[in-house]
């Protein structure tokens, strides 16, 4: 690779490999050196500058080559994930966990169980692609096979994206800058298009609208969550999305989940909320560190989901009355029946 | 005797993460000790000792902590041999951006946190750029997108490193890094080993504790800003 790159001018390098500018951004004298060859550029960096950068000349060259190789790799297509299979191990008492469960792309699976039962451990086993080397002794297969174990430590082939409870952004950027920065890190070419699409989708999910130039740090909880979900659906490279509850406030949860499964993600969601649990195709019940059973959402449960959603909507309406300073004198009949 | 050098900016989560990692190694009955290098003070040894981990501290005072580290690391190794440790981890607060404690042929780890901002990986010196493993912490406080962008930037700064996410509070990811630690090279003596990157040759008078301001007190390697 060096033979090929070293003879290019710096300018040619940037034209052929636009991402190379990132590597050079912390290096000096770029403007003056655009016409010199890449080899000459590196040879001309002064010792003092190298000292300031905290790196030797040979190491810098090695890093440059490594950088270019790795970035090219990011563009390679990766294996499409169609399914993951969980092969049981042992529960906390050492009892055999007798299960083989396959989850397919586009499926939503909920995980239920008491505190400390092992929900997070199951999610961690999946993320680590456990091979009998975790406390549960489980084994995970990808597309029915043993995966390339390098995926454990790969930044670009990370299996699992996590939407955690936390809803804050810390970056001091506008929504648009934020999303396009993420798109850049995915080395996409149609960044503007993707960015505006994501913002539009997030606005569909959020109760109140926001603009591309709204700072991410001033989004409301619901808006942040909507943006995180839309962003994960379109920009995360990970085929599996783990969700730790989605709060009801200010976001259309059903559509949010639909967006993820439309993008052929596998969605795993730890939840105590009956509406979310019934939105799943099945739910895994964890007890004592082991999967005690897998329940498929039944027809009856799906019917009840519709009912529960209606009740939920009523509750939301009541909350809205409260929020706008009204009195709660009238309780909808359906709710009264339950009471 | 396995040796691992861990460095990272102050408060990045080095101790929290090491505690979680060592816990998983202790389950496998490995005897791990830690020596913390810092400038003026640290409570870290108490945190380690509470978990039954042999721990010592080295305070460099006015010296650059990394310079101080190199002058003492062989003694640290001898100390851990005397204590029959299987593994010695050195924790350095990366206070000097130009130095790093990383040694060739000794597993080198950098801990850096998501909160430090996406431009930080570019700015951190050899302690990040020349590490074998980069541990990213505090992923729980940022969004998935921020985590992905941050990891990407770390990868740009050190393309050949193994990059892992560990939560210093819940310990998520710690067991996995523990497995990597078990692969660290063995070291009997550091004689003839080399630092991965030379530490800046000359120091200025302020490095040595000078506090007075003015031309007369500036000695050694002094560089002036161009404000014209
Ligand atoms: N939310 C969150 N907080 C963390 C995480 N890791 C560490 N912290 C917190 O960050 C603070 C600093 O952590 P330490 O482990 O003491 O950091 P350190 O790098 O050892 O600090 P020094 O040794 O003083 O340089 C503590 O309050 C930790 O609880 C994490 O993954 N998530
Ligand atoms: N099969 C198992 N064998 C041994 N240890 C296990 C097993 N399953 C889980 N554990 C351990 O039990 C502890 C609690 O599990 P975990 O954190 O996954 O619980 P949780 O269901 O996520 O709890 P919470 O609802 O509080 O988040 C962890 O230390 C985990 O490693
Ligand atoms: Mg949990
Ligand atoms: Mg510490
Ligand atoms: Zn120094
Ligand atoms: Zn100085």
């Amino acid at each position: 690779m060096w033979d090929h790159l070293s003879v290019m001018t710096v300018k040619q390098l940037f034209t052929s490999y636009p991402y190379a500018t990132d590597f050079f951004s912390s290096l000096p004298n770029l403007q003056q050196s655009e016409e010199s060859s890449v080899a000459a550029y590196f040879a001309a960096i002064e010792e003092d500058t190298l000292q300031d950068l905290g790196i030797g000349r040979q190491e810098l060259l090695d890093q440059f080559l490594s950088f270019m190789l790795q970035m090219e790799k990011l563009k390679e297509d990766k294996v499409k994930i169609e399914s993951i299979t969980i092969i049981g191990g042992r529960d906390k008492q050492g009892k055999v966990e007798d299960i083989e469960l396959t989850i397919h792309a586009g499926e939503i699976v909920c995980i239920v169980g008491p505190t400390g039962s092992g929900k997070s451990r199951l999610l961690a086993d999946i993320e680590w692609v456990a091979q009998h080397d975790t406390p549960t002794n489980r084994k995970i297969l990808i597309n029915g096979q043993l995966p390339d174990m390098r995926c454990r430590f790969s930044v670009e082939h990370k299996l699992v994206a996590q939407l955690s409870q936390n809803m804050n952004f810390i970056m001091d950027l506008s929504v648009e800058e934020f999303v396009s920065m993420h798109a850049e890190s995915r080395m996409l070419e149609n960044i503007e298009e993707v960015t505006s699409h994501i913002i539009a989708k997030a606005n569909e999910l959020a109760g109140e609208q926001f603009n591309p130039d709204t700072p991410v740090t001033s989004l409301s909880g619901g808006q942040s969550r909507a943006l995180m979900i839309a962003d994960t659906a379109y920009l995360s490279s990970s085929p599996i999305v783990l969700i730790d509850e989605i709060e009801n406030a200010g976001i259309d949860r059903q559509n949010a989940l639909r967006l993820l499964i439309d993008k052929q993600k596998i969605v795993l969601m730890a939840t105590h909320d009956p509406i979310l649990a019934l939105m799943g195709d099945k739910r895994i019940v964890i007890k004592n560190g082991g999967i005690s059973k897998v329940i498929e959402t039944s027809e009856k449960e799906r019917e009840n989901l519709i009912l529960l959603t209606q009740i939920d909507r009523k509750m939301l309406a009541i909350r809205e009355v409260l929020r706008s300073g009204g009195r709660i004198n009238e309780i909808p009949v359906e709710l009264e029946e339950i009471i | 005797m396995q040796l691992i050098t861990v460095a990272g900016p102050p408060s990045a989560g080095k101790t929290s993460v090491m505690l979680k990692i060592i816990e998983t190694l202790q389950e496998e009955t490995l005897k791990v000790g830690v020596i913390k290098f810092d400038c003026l003070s640290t409570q870290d040894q108490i945190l380690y000792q509470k978990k039954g981990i042999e721990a010592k501290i080295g305070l460099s005072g006015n010296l650059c902590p990394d310079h101080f580290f190199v002058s003492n690391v062989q003694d640290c190794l001898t100390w851990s041999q005397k204590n029959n440790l299987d593994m010695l981890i050195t924790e350095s607060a990366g206070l000097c951006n130009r130095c790093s404690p990383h040694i060739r042929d000794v597993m080198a780890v950098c801990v850096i946190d998501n909160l430090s901002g996406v431009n930080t990986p570019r700015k951190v010196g050899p302690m990040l750029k020349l590490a074998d493993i980069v541990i990213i912490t505090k992923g729980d406080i940022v969004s998935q997108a921020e985590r992905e962008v941050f990891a990407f930037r770390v990868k740009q700064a050190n393309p050949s490193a193994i990059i892992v996410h560990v939560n210093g509070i819940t310990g998520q990811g710690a067991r996995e890094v523990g497995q990597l630690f078990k692969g660290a090279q063995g070291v009997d003596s550091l004689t003839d080993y080399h630092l991965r990157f030379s530490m800046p040759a000359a120091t200025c008078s302020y490095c040595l504790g000078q506090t007075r301001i003015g031309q007369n007190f500036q000695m050694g390697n002094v560089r002036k800003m161009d404000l014209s």
Side-chain angles (χ1 to χ4, degrees):
Chain A
M1 187 160 195
W2 176 243
D3 294 340
H4 160 68
L5 295 177
S6 60
V7 292
M8 290 183 149
T9 67
V10 172
K11 203 176 191 170
Q12 283 165 341
L13 178 78
F14 290 171
T15 319
S16 317
Y17 306 95
Y19 54 80
T21 48
D22 281 335
F23 185 85
F24 288 84
S25 65
S26 57
L27 299 179
N29 295 331
L30 263 189
Q31 255 82 49
Q32 295 104 294
S33 322
E34 291 227 308
E35 300 302 331
S36 59
S37 74
V38 171
Y41 172 81
F42 279 105
I45 299 176
E46 286 172 23
E47 280 302 331
D48 263 9
T49 312
L50 290 171
Q51 279 286 331
D52 283 346
L53 291 168
I55 195 161
R57 195 181 309 277
Q58 190 54 47
E59 279 138 357
L60 186 66
L61 273 178
D62 290 346
Q63 287 213 334
F64 170 64
L65 284 180
S66 178
F67 176 91
M68 296 298 289
L69 277 172
Q70 295 285 346
M71 293 302 128
E72 278 301 289
K73 263 204 215 147
L74 284 186
K75 291 208 252 169
E76 280 170 21
D77 280 338
K78 45 179 170 277
V79 190
K80 198 174 158 339
I81 298 206
E82 270 141 22
S83 73
I84 52 171
T85 304
I86 303 164
I87 300 175
R90 287 186 295 264
D91 73 5
K92 288 192 196 174
Q93 262 91 54
K95 253 183 36 202
V96 175
E97 182 188 36
D98 183 18
I99 195 141
E100 184 170 327
L101 173 66
T102 300
I103 305 170
H104 299 275
E107 257 186 300
I108 303 175
V109 174
C110 294
I111 303 174
V112 296
T115 295
S117 56
K119 300 184 293 292
S120 301
R121 186 64 251 165
L122 175 64
L123 298 178
D125 283 347
I126 293 170
E127 181 158 26
W128 178 241
V129 206
Q131 299 298 323
H132 303 305
D133 55 355
T134 64
T136 62
N137 205 39
R138 289 193 185 108
K139 182 172 173 165
I140 307 293
L141 303 178
I142 307 286
N143 296 339
Q145 291 172 334
L146 207 71
D148 180 349
M149 289 326 274
R150 280 174 302 179
C151 70
R152 279 181 172 176
F153 295 116
S154 136
V155 166
E156 62 278 11
H157 295 185
K158 223 170 151 12
L159 271 181
V160 171
Q162 276 196 41
L163 286 167
S164 43
Q165 274 290 6
N166 144 69
M167 296 198 286
N168 307 315
F169 289 103
I170 58 152
M171 279 186 199
D172 192 13
L173 293 175
S174 71
V175 169
E176 186 171 30
E177 288 164 337
F178 176 80
V179 178
S180 60
M181 177 185 248
H182 193 193
E184 270 165 38
S185 82
R186 291 299 313 285
M187 322 263 300
L188 299 184
E189 267 148 29
N190 48 344
I191 290 176
E192 265 175 52
E193 197 183 313
V194 176
T195 304
S196 62
H197 191 62
I198 289 173
I199 297 174
K201 277 288 172 194
N203 267 314
E204 282 174 30
L205 299 179
E208 329 131 62
Q209 302 293 293
F210 58 90
N211 294 318
D213 54 8
T214 308
V216 285
T217 46
S218 63
L219 295 176
S220 73
Q223 289 170 329
S224 300
R225 203 138 253 262
L227 181 62
M228 283 182 196
I229 290 172
D231 171 273
T232 300
Y234 288 93
L235 280 180
S236 175
S237 59
S238 307
I240 303 171
V241 182
L242 304 183
I243 306 180
D244 231 344
E245 297 266 358
I246 311 180
E247 276 159 42
N248 207 355
I251 173 166
D252 181 341
R253 297 187 294 179
Q254 231 144 352
N255 276 328
L257 289 178
R258 195 158 302 133
L259 183 60
L260 291 169
I261 55 174
D262 281 350
K263 303 306 284 184
Q264 287 299 297
K265 303 272 184 193
I266 290 173
V267 180
L268 289 164
M269 182 162 49
T271 184
H272 304 292
D273 182 324
I275 293 189
L276 287 176
L278 295 187
M279 273 182 208
D281 302 291
K282 41 181 97 125
R283 54 189 187 272
I284 297 177
V285 184
I286 309 240
K287 265 188 202 146
N288 246 323
I291 297 178
S292 83
K293 54 183 163 182
V294 179
I295 302 176
E296 297 239 2
T297 309
S298 66
E299 255 337 289
K300 186 73 199 155
E301 284 179 322
R302 283 188 205 284
E303 279 168 32
N304 283 339
L305 173 60
I306 299 174
L307 203 68
L308 287 173
T309 313
Q310 283 165 354
I311 297 174
D312 194 46
R313 237 177 254 137
K314 299 255 158 68
M315 279 299 290
L316 276 180
I318 297 175
R319 215 174 286 166
E320 201 43 55
V321 173
L322 187 72
R323 210 191 286 178
S324 56
R327 276 195 182 279
I328 304 168
N329 287 331
E330 274 170 55
I331 303 281
V333 264
E334 292 90 333
L335 286 182
E336 250 171 25
E337 272 167 25
I338 296 173
I339 303 162
Chain B
M1 218 4 253
Q2 288 176 304
L3 176 64
I4 299 172
T5 58
V6 176
S11 298
K14 300 178 290 298
T15 304
S16 310
V17 164
M18 287 311 128
L19 285 169
K20 297 289 182 190
I21 294 174
I22 296 170
E23 208 172 288
T24 72
L25 294 172
Q26 284 174 330
E27 282 172 23
E28 304 187 27
T29 67
L30 280 177
K31 213 174 156 205
V32 186
V34 180
I35 297 187
K36 167 69 191 284
F37 288 87
D38 215 314
C39 274
L40 298 175
S41 77
T42 174
Q43 301 297 314
D44 282 356
Q45 84 276 20
I46 300 171
L47 297 172
Y48 286 116
Q49 284 160 355
K50 259 199 224 153
K51 295 268 174 179
I53 301 165
E54 291 278 353
K56 289 268 173 214
I57 42 173
L59 296 179
S60 65
N62 290 328
L63 295 176
C64 158
D66 294 314
H67 280 77
F68 180 76
F69 167 88
V70 204
S71 331
N72 287 284
V73 64
Q74 175 57 51
D75 299 313
C76 295
L77 198 64
T78 312
W79 169 81
S80 31
Q81 282 158 341
K82 266 201 211 116
N83 281 281
N84 290 318
L85 300 183
D86 298 307
M87 183 186 284
L88 173 66
I89 296 176
T90 64
E91 176 190 332
S92 319
L95 291 164
C96 178
N97 236 348
R98 285 179 61 179
C99 301
S100 91
H102 300 326
I103 300 167
R104 274 186 223 156
D105 301 319
V106 170
M107 183 180 273
V109 177
C110 176
V111 179
I112 182 167
D113 73 274
N114 271 300
L115 292 182
S116 61
V118 285
N119 293 320
T120 300
R122 283 186 187 153
K123 290 183 271 184
V124 180
M127 74 175 165
L128 170 68
K129 296 202 177 84
L130 302 180
D132 301 313
I133 300 175
V134 180
I135 296 176
I136 304 177
T137 61
K138 304 189 192 176
D140 53 325
I141 336 192
V142 301
S143 63
Q144 174 67 21
E146 285 163 303
R147 281 193 293 275
E148 288 184 18
V149 173
F150 193 81
F152 175 75
R153 295 285 176 89
V154 168
K155 193 177 175 74
Q156 284 187 321
N158 185 343
S160 44
I162 291 177
I163 299 168
V164 287
H165 296 260
V166 178
N167 183 319
I169 291 178
T170 64
Q172 188 180 351
R175 180 175 305 280
E176 290 71 20
V177 182
Q179 296 306 307
L180 292 177
F181 276 20
K182 278 175 24 191
Q185 300 91 324
V187 184
D188 291 325
S189 153
L190 285 164
T191 311
D192 292 335
Y193 276 63
H194 286 267
L195 287 169
R196 295 197 179 195
F197 183 68
S198 67
M199 298 200 174
T203 40
C204 72
S205 44
Y206 295 103
C207 297
L208 297 169
Q210 179 60 271
T211 54
R212 285 168 296 179
I213 301 171
Q215 198 79 50
N216 290 341
F217 309 111
Q218 297 166 353
M219 270 174 285
N221 193 359
V222 175
R223 217 187 298 178
K224 290 293 191 181
M225 288 168 73
D226 182 7
L227 294 171
S228 59

